[in-house]
Short mmCIF file of all heavy atoms in Angstrom, two decimals:
data_model
loop_
_atom_site.label_atom_id
_atom_site.label_comp_id
_atom_site.label_asym_id
_atom_site.label_seq_id
_atom_site.Cartn_x
_atom_site.Cartn_y
_atom_site.Cartn_z
N VAL A 21 99.45 11.35 66.91
CA VAL A 21 100.49 10.29 66.90
C VAL A 21 99.90 8.87 67.06
O VAL A 21 100.16 7.97 66.25
CB VAL A 21 101.60 10.48 67.97
CG1 VAL A 21 102.57 9.34 68.05
CG2 VAL A 21 102.34 11.84 67.69
N SER A 22 98.98 8.71 67.94
CA SER A 22 98.33 7.40 68.14
C SER A 22 97.53 7.06 66.87
O SER A 22 97.48 5.93 66.46
CB SER A 22 97.37 7.41 69.42
OG SER A 22 96.45 8.41 69.29
N ASN A 23 96.88 8.06 66.28
CA ASN A 23 96.06 7.77 65.01
C ASN A 23 96.89 7.32 63.92
O ASN A 23 96.65 6.40 63.13
CB ASN A 23 95.26 9.06 64.66
CG ASN A 23 94.11 9.29 65.52
OD1 ASN A 23 93.73 8.43 66.37
ND2 ASN A 23 93.48 10.53 65.32
N MET A 24 98.10 8.02 63.77
CA MET A 24 99.05 7.62 62.61
C MET A 24 99.58 6.28 62.84
O MET A 24 99.78 5.52 61.87
CB MET A 24 100.14 8.79 62.44
CG MET A 24 99.64 10.01 61.77
SD MET A 24 100.88 11.21 61.42
CE MET A 24 101.34 11.83 63.07
N ILE A 25 100.04 5.91 64.07
CA ILE A 25 100.52 4.62 64.36
C ILE A 25 99.47 3.51 64.05
O ILE A 25 99.74 2.50 63.48
CB ILE A 25 101.11 4.44 65.76
CG1 ILE A 25 102.25 5.43 66.03
CG2 ILE A 25 101.50 2.97 66.07
CD1 ILE A 25 102.72 5.54 67.41
N SER A 26 98.26 3.80 64.44
CA SER A 26 97.11 2.81 64.24
C SER A 26 96.90 2.77 62.68
O SER A 26 96.68 1.54 62.22
CB SER A 26 95.90 3.39 65.01
OG SER A 26 94.83 2.57 64.72
N LYS A 27 96.96 3.86 62.04
CA LYS A 27 96.62 3.77 60.55
C LYS A 27 97.77 3.24 59.75
O LYS A 27 97.47 2.46 58.95
CB LYS A 27 96.36 5.24 60.11
CG LYS A 27 95.99 5.40 58.71
CD LYS A 27 95.66 6.84 58.37
CE LYS A 27 95.33 7.08 56.90
NZ LYS A 27 95.04 8.55 56.65
N TYR A 28 98.99 3.66 60.08
CA TYR A 28 100.21 3.33 59.21
C TYR A 28 100.90 1.92 59.57
O TYR A 28 101.44 1.27 58.74
CB TYR A 28 101.19 4.34 59.23
CG TYR A 28 100.71 5.73 58.67
CD1 TYR A 28 101.22 6.88 59.24
CD2 TYR A 28 99.65 5.77 57.75
CE1 TYR A 28 100.82 8.19 58.70
CE2 TYR A 28 99.21 7.06 57.33
CZ TYR A 28 99.76 8.15 57.83
OH TYR A 28 99.33 9.42 57.27
N PHE A 29 100.74 1.54 60.78
CA PHE A 29 101.48 0.35 61.27
C PHE A 29 100.55 -0.64 62.09
O PHE A 29 100.97 -1.42 62.82
CB PHE A 29 102.57 0.73 62.17
CG PHE A 29 103.74 1.40 61.43
CD1 PHE A 29 103.99 2.80 61.48
CD2 PHE A 29 104.65 0.67 60.57
CE1 PHE A 29 104.92 3.40 60.68
CE2 PHE A 29 105.63 1.28 59.90
CZ PHE A 29 105.79 2.67 59.87
N ASN A 30 99.27 -0.48 61.75
CA ASN A 30 98.26 -1.37 62.39
C ASN A 30 98.36 -1.39 63.82
O ASN A 30 98.20 -2.45 64.52
CB ASN A 30 98.49 -2.80 61.82
CG ASN A 30 97.23 -3.60 62.04
OD1 ASN A 30 96.10 -3.10 62.17
ND2 ASN A 30 97.38 -4.95 62.20
N GLY A 31 98.69 -0.24 64.43
CA GLY A 31 98.74 -0.03 65.92
C GLY A 31 99.89 -0.68 66.66
O GLY A 31 99.72 -0.99 67.82
N GLU A 32 101.02 -0.96 65.98
CA GLU A 32 102.15 -1.59 66.67
C GLU A 32 103.49 -1.22 66.08
O GLU A 32 103.65 -1.23 64.88
CB GLU A 32 102.01 -3.08 66.66
CG GLU A 32 103.03 -3.85 67.56
CD GLU A 32 102.72 -5.33 67.63
OE1 GLU A 32 101.83 -5.83 66.95
OE2 GLU A 32 103.50 -5.99 68.42
N LEU A 33 104.39 -0.64 66.99
CA LEU A 33 105.68 -0.29 66.57
C LEU A 33 106.67 -1.46 66.91
O LEU A 33 106.56 -2.00 68.04
CB LEU A 33 106.07 0.92 67.30
CG LEU A 33 105.40 2.21 66.98
CD1 LEU A 33 105.72 3.37 67.90
CD2 LEU A 33 105.55 2.65 65.57
N LEU A 34 107.54 -1.80 66.02
CA LEU A 34 108.48 -2.89 66.25
C LEU A 34 109.84 -2.27 66.55
O LEU A 34 110.26 -1.31 65.90
CB LEU A 34 108.56 -3.88 65.10
CG LEU A 34 107.22 -4.48 64.68
CD1 LEU A 34 107.35 -5.35 63.44
CD2 LEU A 34 106.67 -5.33 65.77
N SER A 35 110.62 -2.94 67.42
CA SER A 35 111.95 -2.32 67.87
C SER A 35 112.82 -2.31 66.58
O SER A 35 112.99 -3.36 65.98
CB SER A 35 112.50 -3.14 69.01
OG SER A 35 113.71 -2.62 69.42
N GLN A 36 113.53 -1.25 66.46
CA GLN A 36 114.46 -1.16 65.28
C GLN A 36 115.79 -0.45 65.82
O GLN A 36 116.35 0.44 65.05
CB GLN A 36 113.92 -0.34 64.13
CG GLN A 36 112.69 -1.08 63.44
CD GLN A 36 112.25 -0.32 62.26
OE1 GLN A 36 112.59 0.76 62.00
NE2 GLN A 36 111.36 -1.05 61.60
N GLY A 37 116.13 -0.73 67.01
CA GLY A 37 117.32 -0.10 67.60
C GLY A 37 117.12 1.17 68.31
O GLY A 37 115.97 1.76 68.31
N THR A 38 118.15 1.76 68.89
CA THR A 38 118.03 3.04 69.62
C THR A 38 117.81 4.24 68.75
O THR A 38 118.51 4.31 67.69
CB THR A 38 119.34 3.28 70.42
OG1 THR A 38 119.52 2.06 71.32
CG2 THR A 38 119.21 4.47 71.30
N LEU A 39 116.77 5.05 69.19
CA LEU A 39 116.55 6.23 68.36
C LEU A 39 117.48 7.36 68.73
O LEU A 39 117.86 7.51 69.87
CB LEU A 39 115.12 6.73 68.69
CG LEU A 39 114.00 5.78 68.39
CD1 LEU A 39 112.66 6.18 69.14
CD2 LEU A 39 113.70 5.59 66.88
N LYS A 40 118.00 7.98 67.69
CA LYS A 40 118.99 9.09 67.78
C LYS A 40 118.63 10.24 66.92
O LYS A 40 118.78 10.07 65.73
CB LYS A 40 120.37 8.63 67.67
CG LYS A 40 120.91 7.67 68.65
CD LYS A 40 122.38 7.20 68.48
CE LYS A 40 122.93 6.33 69.44
NZ LYS A 40 124.24 5.78 69.23
N ASN A 41 118.16 11.37 67.41
CA ASN A 41 117.88 12.55 66.62
C ASN A 41 117.70 13.71 67.62
O ASN A 41 117.76 13.58 68.82
CB ASN A 41 116.63 12.27 65.76
CG ASN A 41 115.39 11.88 66.49
OD1 ASN A 41 115.02 12.54 67.51
ND2 ASN A 41 114.77 10.78 66.11
N ASP A 42 117.51 14.87 66.98
CA ASP A 42 117.48 16.12 67.84
C ASP A 42 116.29 16.08 68.81
O ASP A 42 116.41 16.56 69.95
CB ASP A 42 117.31 17.31 66.90
CG ASP A 42 118.55 17.65 66.19
OD1 ASP A 42 119.63 17.12 66.61
OD2 ASP A 42 118.55 18.44 65.25
N LEU A 43 115.17 15.56 68.36
CA LEU A 43 113.90 15.46 69.31
C LEU A 43 114.23 14.54 70.47
O LEU A 43 113.85 14.84 71.62
CB LEU A 43 112.72 15.02 68.56
CG LEU A 43 111.34 15.20 69.40
CD1 LEU A 43 111.19 16.50 70.06
CD2 LEU A 43 110.21 14.79 68.48
N ILE A 44 114.93 13.50 70.22
CA ILE A 44 115.28 12.55 71.32
C ILE A 44 116.25 13.26 72.26
O ILE A 44 116.13 13.09 73.52
CB ILE A 44 115.92 11.23 70.81
CG1 ILE A 44 114.86 10.37 70.03
CG2 ILE A 44 116.52 10.38 71.94
CD1 ILE A 44 113.79 9.81 70.94
N ASP A 45 117.20 13.95 71.77
CA ASP A 45 118.12 14.75 72.58
C ASP A 45 117.32 15.71 73.45
O ASP A 45 117.67 15.91 74.62
CB ASP A 45 119.19 15.51 71.74
CG ASP A 45 120.13 14.49 71.08
OD1 ASP A 45 120.17 13.34 71.48
OD2 ASP A 45 120.85 14.97 70.10
N SER A 46 116.38 16.40 72.84
CA SER A 46 115.54 17.41 73.57
C SER A 46 114.75 16.76 74.69
O SER A 46 114.57 17.30 75.76
CB SER A 46 114.61 18.04 72.57
OG SER A 46 115.26 18.88 71.73
N CYS A 47 114.32 15.49 74.44
CA CYS A 47 113.64 14.77 75.38
C CYS A 47 114.43 14.33 76.59
O CYS A 47 114.00 14.51 77.68
CB CYS A 47 113.04 13.40 74.60
SG CYS A 47 111.83 12.65 75.59
N LEU A 48 115.62 13.85 76.30
CA LEU A 48 116.47 13.47 77.40
C LEU A 48 116.92 14.58 78.26
O LEU A 48 117.06 14.55 79.44
CB LEU A 48 117.74 12.66 76.90
CG LEU A 48 117.43 11.34 76.13
CD1 LEU A 48 118.68 10.85 75.48
CD2 LEU A 48 116.71 10.41 77.05
N LEU A 49 117.11 15.83 77.58
CA LEU A 49 117.47 17.01 78.27
C LEU A 49 116.36 17.53 79.17
O LEU A 49 116.45 17.95 80.27
CB LEU A 49 117.89 18.10 77.32
CG LEU A 49 118.42 19.37 77.84
CD1 LEU A 49 119.73 19.22 78.74
CD2 LEU A 49 118.58 20.39 76.78
N ALA A 50 115.07 17.34 78.65
CA ALA A 50 113.89 17.73 79.38
C ALA A 50 113.73 16.95 80.72
O ALA A 50 113.39 17.51 81.74
CB ALA A 50 112.71 17.54 78.49
N ILE A 51 114.04 15.64 80.64
CA ILE A 51 113.94 14.87 81.80
C ILE A 51 114.93 15.42 82.90
O ILE A 51 114.52 15.54 84.06
CB ILE A 51 114.26 13.36 81.54
CG1 ILE A 51 113.24 12.72 80.54
CG2 ILE A 51 114.30 12.57 82.84
CD1 ILE A 51 113.60 11.40 79.99
N LYS A 52 116.17 15.67 82.44
CA LYS A 52 117.20 16.17 83.37
C LYS A 52 116.82 17.53 83.94
O LYS A 52 116.86 17.74 85.17
CB LYS A 52 118.51 16.24 82.57
CG LYS A 52 119.69 16.75 83.43
CD LYS A 52 120.97 16.71 82.58
CE LYS A 52 122.13 17.46 83.37
NZ LYS A 52 123.22 17.54 82.46
N ASN A 53 116.38 18.39 83.07
CA ASN A 53 116.06 19.78 83.54
C ASN A 53 114.79 19.84 84.47
O ASN A 53 114.75 20.61 85.35
CB ASN A 53 115.91 20.69 82.32
CG ASN A 53 117.18 21.06 81.70
OD1 ASN A 53 118.27 20.94 82.29
ND2 ASN A 53 117.16 21.48 80.42
N TYR A 54 113.81 18.99 84.09
CA TYR A 54 112.63 18.79 84.92
C TYR A 54 113.02 18.39 86.37
O TYR A 54 112.44 19.07 87.23
CB TYR A 54 111.72 17.75 84.23
CG TYR A 54 110.49 17.35 85.10
CD1 TYR A 54 109.26 17.93 84.81
CD2 TYR A 54 110.59 16.34 86.11
CE1 TYR A 54 108.13 17.63 85.52
CE2 TYR A 54 109.44 15.99 86.77
CZ TYR A 54 108.25 16.61 86.58
OH TYR A 54 107.05 16.17 87.24
N GLN A 55 113.88 17.54 86.50
CA GLN A 55 114.31 17.06 87.88
C GLN A 55 114.98 18.19 88.53
O GLN A 55 114.81 18.48 89.79
CB GLN A 55 115.20 15.89 87.79
CG GLN A 55 114.45 14.64 87.41
CD GLN A 55 115.33 13.38 87.60
OE1 GLN A 55 116.03 13.02 86.58
NE2 GLN A 55 115.27 12.72 88.71
N ILE A 56 115.85 18.94 87.84
CA ILE A 56 116.60 20.09 88.50
C ILE A 56 115.62 21.11 89.06
O ILE A 56 115.70 21.52 90.16
CB ILE A 56 117.46 20.78 87.51
CG1 ILE A 56 118.67 19.71 87.15
CG2 ILE A 56 118.00 22.06 88.06
CD1 ILE A 56 119.58 20.25 85.99
N VAL A 57 114.63 21.48 88.25
CA VAL A 57 113.75 22.61 88.69
C VAL A 57 112.69 22.03 89.76
O VAL A 57 112.26 22.78 90.63
CB VAL A 57 112.94 23.32 87.50
CG1 VAL A 57 113.92 23.98 86.60
CG2 VAL A 57 112.15 22.40 86.70
N MET A 58 112.25 20.72 89.61
CA MET A 58 111.35 20.26 90.62
C MET A 58 112.13 20.08 91.95
O MET A 58 111.48 20.30 93.05
CB MET A 58 110.73 18.92 90.21
CG MET A 58 109.66 19.08 89.14
SD MET A 58 108.15 19.93 89.83
CE MET A 58 107.26 18.52 90.51
N ASN A 59 113.42 19.79 91.91
CA ASN A 59 114.11 19.74 93.14
C ASN A 59 114.24 21.06 93.80
O ASN A 59 114.50 21.19 94.99
CB ASN A 59 115.55 19.15 92.88
CG ASN A 59 115.48 17.65 92.63
OD1 ASN A 59 114.48 16.95 92.98
ND2 ASN A 59 116.53 17.04 92.01
N ASN A 60 114.04 22.10 93.03
CA ASN A 60 114.08 23.51 93.55
C ASN A 60 112.64 24.01 93.74
O ASN A 60 112.37 25.17 94.04
CB ASN A 60 114.80 24.42 92.57
CG ASN A 60 116.28 24.23 92.63
OD1 ASN A 60 116.83 24.08 93.69
ND2 ASN A 60 117.02 24.27 91.53
#
């Protein structure tokens, strides 16, 4: 990922609004579930 950003966008991402897709949903769910199991 770092190589592709460096290669395709000269190493910089510019804000283009809130990201919404299945992987983002998985990411937000991972944060929540991580806290649940670590609290246990």
Side-chain angles (χ1 to χ4, degrees):
V21 173
S22 59
N23 285 350
M24 286 189 286
I25 295 171
S26 179
K27 182 178 178 181
Y28 300 150
F29 290 100
N30 199 27
E32 189 171 4
L33 297 169
L34 303 175
S35 180
Q36 293 182 353
T38 303
L39 300 165
K40 291 181 180 178
N41 55 55
D42 288 348
L43 186 55
I44 291 293
D45 290 343
S46 293
C47 191
L48 298 177
L49 184 62
I51 297 169
K52 181 181 175 183
N53 289 339
Y54 172 94
Q55 288 186 275
I56 290 170
V57 297
M58 282 295 272
N59 287 338
N60 287 319

